[in-house]
Amino acid sequence: NAGVTQTPKFQVLKTGQSMTLQCAQDMNHEYMSWYRQDPGMGLRLIHYSVGAGITDQGEVPNGYNVSRSTTEDFPLRLLSAAPSQTSVYFCASTIRTGGSSPLHFGNGTRLTVT
Amino acid sequence: AQSVTQLGSHVSVSEGALVLLRCNYSSSVPPYLFWYVQYPNQGLQLLLKYTTGATLVKGINGFEAEFKKSETSFHLTKPSAHMSDAAEYFCAVNNAGNMLTFGGGTRLMVKP
């Protein structure tokens, strides 16, 4: 049972480059989300999805795009990377929306933008 | 709007001592509350959660937390710290919507 799988684990980009962070879950979870973790700031929500074909913005969506074509996958796209996007990114999912179900987290992607 | 404040970004205790990690929240409605733990180079794992019912919640690894509505607090405690408890701990709140808000985290250090 893989849970939430994120790839890659590490990535270095130059300013202006684009890339996609992959996230897949095998638990048939309805809700998926992306967070970024920065020292002293906890985790901040970037985008989330309550089902295939439905996405919405979180607290810090600028510079990031998402799509959800299947229940399992929720990729995060950086169209033109900036040094401010240097962070650790976590994908998380839960079985249902509404807030009472805990999140299951992937192991993160550490991104450095130079 | 909802927010979470964790008092103390770093807490140091001796092995065997009481662990107390503080969390206060703001919420316009009765919230769902969570504590997560993060070990180095890993994702977050659920320690415990409060949704409804009993206000004293027991979690994994001997941790517990008490929901105090009058104080808008959800402090995490453990009677006796172990070296393996060294990690970063996050309090989080959800107002029954789709956005979970995290506090800034508290790094717990356990001295032998």
Side-chain angles (χ1 to χ4, degrees):
Chain A
N1 192 354
V4 178
T5 303
Q6 290 185 238
T7 56
K9 290 188 174 152
F10 302 94
Q11 184 70 50
V12 179
L13 291 178
K14 295 186 185 303
T15 297
Q17 287 185 317
S18 63
M19 79 159 296
T20 299
L21 280 63
Q22 301 292 344
C23 175
Q25 52 90 10
D26 61 358
M27 299 172 283
N28 200 31
H29 282 178
E30 190 174 80
Y31 177 96
M32 297 185 73
S33 56
W34 277 102
Y35 285 86
R36 59 176 290 171
Q37 182 179 22
D38 303 291
M41 303 186 74
L43 281 77
R44 292 179 293 167
L45 182 64
I46 303 171
H47 284 286
Y48 66 93
S49 169
V50 298
I54 307 169
T55 63
D56 207 344
Q57 296 182 352
E59 182 185 354
V60 289
N62 292 340
Y64 307 95
N65 283 345
V66 293
S67 60
R68 183 119 179 249
S69 56
T70 67
T71 300
E72 295 77 22
D73 299 300
F74 191 46
L76 178 72
R77 297 183 187 85
L78 285 70
L79 297 179
S80 178
S84 61
Q85 294 178 306
T86 293
S87 187
V88 182
Y89 291 85
F90 288 99
C91 180
S93 70
T94 190
I95 191 163
R96 67 180 65 85
T97 59
S100 65
S101 301
L103 292 174
H104 297 254
F105 283 84
N107 283 332
T109 295
R110 187 173 296 273
L111 175 68
T112 302
V113 183
T114 61
Chain B
Q2 56 194 26
S3 66
V4 180
T5 301
Q6 291 183 238
L7 294 177
S9 59
H10 292 79
V11 170
S12 181
V13 301
S14 297
E15 193 172 20
L18 171 72
V19 176
L20 171 60
L21 304 183
R22 299 177 187 274
C23 172
N24 288 86
Y25 67 90
S26 69
S27 173
S28 57
V29 298
Y32 300 127
L33 296 160
F34 304 84
W35 275 99
Y36 288 86
V37 61
Q38 184 181 33
Y39 299 102
N41 299 315
Q42 293 186 26
L44 280 68
Q45 304 170 32
L46 179 70
L47 267 182
L48 49 80
K49 68 174 183 177
Y50 169 79
T51 53
T52 60
T55 57
L56 181 62
V57 181
K58 295 188 185 299
I60 61 172
N61 301 337
F63 284 93
E64 62 182 34
E66 186 171 10
F67 169 55
K68 292 188 175 180
K69 184 178 178 181
S70 61
E71 299 177 8
T72 60
S73 68
F74 192 55
H75 302 330
L76 182 71
T77 60
K78 181 174 181 178
S80 177
H82 296 155
M83 297 296 292
S84 60
D85 294 328
E88 189 156 21
Y89 293 81
F90 293 93
C91 183
V93 63
N94 189 313
N95 282 343
N98 291 314
M99 295 179 62
L100 186 66
T101 299
F102 285 86
T106 298
R107 185 168 298 279
L108 176 66
M109 294 166 283
V110 182
K111 299 175 292 186

